[in-house]
Amino acid sequence: MSGDRIEVRALTKSYPGSDRPALAGLDLEVPRRRFVSLIGPSGCGKSTLLRVLAGLTSPDEGTVDLFGSGPRALCRAKAVGLVPQTPALLPWATVRRNVALPGRVNRRAGRGTDTVDELLEGVGLAHAARSYPHQLSGGMRQRVAIARAFALRPELLLMDEPFSALDEFTRESLQLQLLDLWQQRSTTVVFVTHSVQEAVALSDTVVVMAPGKVHRTVPVDLPRPRGTSAVTGPDARTIADTVRAHLRQAWDGGAAEPEPEPTGAR
Ligand SMILES: Nc1ncnc2c1ncn2[C@@H]1O[C@H](COP(=O)(O)OP(=O)(O)OP(=O)(O)O)[C@@H](O)[C@H]1O
Ligand SMILES: [Mg+2]
């Protein structure tokens, strides 16, 4: 047990009626304040891992230690923010209330300087503050979920393909906001994406998953803050090529050399 990291050991999780476990002995370490991306083939267990970290589902076997607490305890303390793959908004509440709600029930909220209106403006939704979820597009709903997670000011922010339904301009602007949030506070981010470029641009470490487990971890040694030239330059391209090569192996059944580096290494 350690207060300075997330430690997942031998995590196994099966869904009823499925012949193959969604997670099969997965090990993962994420030091506090790191930005880690998970990337891997569809169905390899990324969302399941996030749901276990968020305390929404229990593992069959293995242990999950989040900075010295269990997932449920951290979640009860409102220290975990989750942006799920499909945003779940409260249908009876306006956009504004959807974003404000975690803040109301969370003692930590209100410590920072962002107001709900600033958060809405940041995700480009100031004009929709009084709308209801059924009046929003898919990308707008996703942006409400992102603003709501930011409002929580979580210790651990779990994001499941949060930018997948967004246009490129909005996506880039939210990526910058996310990096700001991460850099200004002691937030640890676990971020799922299918975009190698996005994973490299944002992360300290890219974790390539094969079905049910971690296939490889790739450190992203790029300077911060990362301007456009850093994330499009030759070093970034080399790292992206390495991630792509590991992804191909993960697709081919994970026939790789043994893991050489501790997960979460910069
Ligand atoms: N509620 C569920 N009931 C039964 N099986 C499930 C359930 N959720 C996920 N699974 C199965 O568990 C495995 C992992 O699913 P998971 O959603 O974690 O994958 P993923 O890596 O997030 O995929 P994607 O990239 O498509 O989002 C898949 O084989 C999926 O069919
Ligand atoms: Mg998923």
Side-chain angles (χ1 to χ4, degrees):
M1 220 186 214
S2 165
D4 62 356
R5 66 188 61 228
I6 295 172
E7 248 179 46
V8 176
R9 292 278 171 255
L11 190 66
T12 298
K13 171 79 190 171
S14 295
Y15 290 102
S18 173
D19 52 356
R20 208 187 55 176
L23 299 173
L26 180 140
D27 293 310
L28 179 72
E29 262 182 44
V30 180
R32 194 189 275 276
R33 296 183 195 199
R34 291 289 163 84
F35 195 122
V36 171
S37 286
L38 305 177
I39 195 163
S42 179
C44 73
K46 303 179 295 296
S47 296
T48 303
L49 174 58
L50 250 52
R51 288 173 55 77
V52 172
L53 293 177
L56 295 176
T57 185
S58 302
D60 302 335
E61 285 169 44
T63 56
V64 178
D65 181 345
L66 305 179
F67 316 120
S69 301
R72 294 243 154 95
L74 209 66
C75 202
R76 266 198 305 274
K78 301 283 174 193
V80 182
L82 172 69
V83 179
Q85 196 165 352
T86 311
L89 303 179
L90 301 167
W92 45 264
T94 62
V95 163
R96 207 166 181 289
R97 274 200 82 194
N98 262 287
V99 173
L101 219 55
R104 282 208 193 131
V105 294
N106 177 17
R107 280 179 291 120
R108 289 164 159 278
R111 244 200 236 159
T113 53
D114 298 329
T115 64
V116 171
D117 290 325
E118 280 166 347
L119 285 164
L120 284 176
E121 202 172 313
V123 298
L125 282 179
H127 65 285
R130 288 165 195 277
S131 301
Y132 288 86
H134 72 271
Q135 297 171 306
L136 306 178
S137 72
M140 289 165 86
R141 276 182 218 146
Q142 215 170 16
R143 282 183 278 155
V144 177
I146 291 164
R148 185 171 59 182
F150 285 5
L152 203 58
R153 299 173 200 295
E155 238 175 279
L156 172 61
L157 181 55
L158 306 168
M159 304 184 87
D160 199 348
E161 302 186 39
F163 304 147
S164 58
L166 305 180
D167 63 89
E168 202 170 321
F169 179 74
T170 309
R171 188 178 185 128
E172 277 171 14
S173 139
L174 286 178
Q175 283 175 350
L176 290 177
Q177 265 183 271
L178 172 60
L179 286 178
D180 270 356
L181 176 91
W182 167 74
Q183 260 157 354
Q184 282 167 18
R185 315 190 206 291
S186 59
T187 307
T188 306
V189 179
V190 181
F191 183 94
V192 175
T193 179
H194 282 289
S195 163
V196 173
Q197 186 275 331
E198 181 169 74
V200 171
L202 295 176
S203 315
D204 295 315
T205 308
V206 179
V207 174
V208 180
M209 282 180 68
K213 53 187 165 199
V214 170
H215 175 67
R216 274 298 174 95
T217 62
V218 180
V220 182
D221 289 320
L222 296 175
R224 295 201 189 261
R226 292 176 185 168
T228 314
S229 59
V231 297
T232 54
D235 290 349
R237 284 204 299 276
T238 304
I239 297 167
D241 287 345
T242 305
V243 171
R244 281 194 194 95
H246 289 317
L247 263 176
R248 265 193 297 277
Q249 288 174 343
W251 272 106
D252 292 344
E257 299 295 311
E259 175 72 22
E261 290 188 57
T263 308
R266 238 183 228 268

